[in-house]
Amino acid sequence: MLSPLEVYAGSRRLPIGGPRQRAILSILLINRNQISSVEEIIDKVWHGVPPSTGRTQVAICVAALRKTFRTAGCDEDVIVTVAPGYMLSTRGHRVDAEDFLERVAQAEALDREGQPERAAQVFEGALQLWRGTPLGGINVRMVEDAAVRLIEMQMSAVEKYMALRLQLGEYQALIGDLTALVQAHPLRDRLRGLLMMAQYRAGRRADALATYHDGRRHSIEELGLDMVAPLQSLHEAILREDEIALTDAGWSPRRAAAVVPAQLPSNVFAFSGRLDELRTLDSVLDQPPQGNHPVRVSFITGSPGIGKTSLAIHWAHQRAEEFPDGHLFADLGAHGYAREPESPESVLRRFLTALGHRPEQIPTGLAEATALYRTTLEGRRALIVLDDVHSFGQIRPLLPGNGQCHVLVTSRNQLEGLSDNYNALRLQLGILPLSASTAILRDVVGRDRITSNPQAARRLSELCGNLPIAVRVAAARLLGKPHWRVSDLVARLEDRDRRLDELSHGEYDIRLRFETSWRQLDPSVATAYSRLALLDEPHFDAWCAAKATELRVVEAQDLLERLVDLHLLDVVGRGEAGRFAYGFQDLLLLYARERVGRETTVATSCA
């Protein structure tokens, strides 16, 4: 019935005969399992003007239909004679219209039970039963009226199915389907409203407003009426981007279950120093969040091992209670030793799962997943920590769309897009003060061992370059060697050729940290960097660098600034001629010299 009339025995389609047989069978199907009088059949088939042979013709058509069914293998009569007419019995047979209604009822029950994913699947199966115009091509008013009722049931199911898909976050995929439906049914307000919501949720606000105005034009031209009140309210809510109004009006999809993720790694043990940096990060939260304000972003950058991740995690734990809707954390792996940087798609899937979405709910497309992520976080106050980022493009889809959330980013790279697009706070870390380095040693190793020889503790911090990761490696080595005095480790580190070996143990492998930054360099830049490391001056300017690298001064200046951007050199001031002075951190200098075979003679002198 959900197509031009068809009858099948198994997979074999049966011939039904001419228009009159098809009309009579359609009437019996509409009244299935009920008696249709011969007079009613005659009246419907001949539109109230029957021939004198009408009763005989009906009997001949019924007999032909029975023969068709028996030939197909039906032992019992499908059409039985019951005074004052005939009845089509569906016992032991299937009618697609009945299957459709049963599946729709099942889908509606699943939705009421809070199973929208399963409900959408059952709705989809129900709608797949349709193969064309129901009972099409039969010129009988009763059949045409039944077809209209079936089409209305179909459209009602379509609207419910589309609403469920909207609820499940399939915004981008829905737009094409809903656009075609609205074009075919321009006066169905529910479809138009769903299309507007899908467009708005997919970030196409202008399209949503255009869809409203197109519907208003149709309504005025064809009906002489303005848009219905619910669509007017939806239009106004989209104009204002008013999430509360969208929810109250019933158009906004239900959120995922209120899951509060808590993904922050454990707080950093023996964290010391960075008080100014912590206060700077605090300042970003001083102004109260505004729902429509751009998302707030803080960006921590600096050289390998400088403590970017430690600072981010420590601050996040300090302010965690201010983000009651959850804490998300991702290591993007820009400088991972054994893996490629994480893709935004994989991080989005983890975040959406942590926020309560089932894996099958999450769209596979990046744009659709991003839209669902931002919708889920809309109105929520969450903290997102994105660690070891490679590029702005890697994290752009991971940035929420509202100022209620706060994003904390760490990277060795510049990530210019953060400042250009989000006015991010930029915090560049330097080495620790000596007091903070010795405080870490004291907290990890124990007060007695450190304070018993404070001069050795200070010298140990200096030999670590006051680089946080190196200080922690030294502390871990002392902790694992309780029979060592601090001076024993100092003696080992005094040997410049062994220092990186002594400070490259376990997960705190300093040499590997430097190696990942080295791999980013073009071969020509890496060669020039090594030559700079062989200079006999601790600080040098572009003129001196040009001499060492055999570049023009302007080229040497560009090289130096590129190395500064990569945090492989520091700007240490200006020289006597007003030129910038550059220098290496101590351990980076050792590593750069190691790359050229630990040469003991300098490449050049600036004298």
Side-chain angles (χ1 to χ4, degrees), residues 467-498:
L467 190 68
I469 188 174
V471 174
R472 290 186 177 276
V473 172
R477 296 214 69 194
L478 287 172
L479 192 63
K481 300 285 186 179
H483 55 286
W484 281 10
R485 297 187 299 267
V486 176
S487 58
D488 293 329
L489 182 56
V490 168
R492 287 170 171 266
L493 295 182
E494 291 284 9
D495 184 345
R496 296 173 65 87
D497 289 340
R498 293 184 56 189

Side-chain angles (χ1 to χ4, degrees), residues 264 312-313 316 328-331 351 383-387 406-408:
L264 291 180
I313 292 173
L328 297 167
F329 179 89
D331 177 359
F351 280 2
L383 175 64
I384 300 100
V385 181
L386 305 174
D387 186 39
H406 183 76
V407 182
L408 186 56

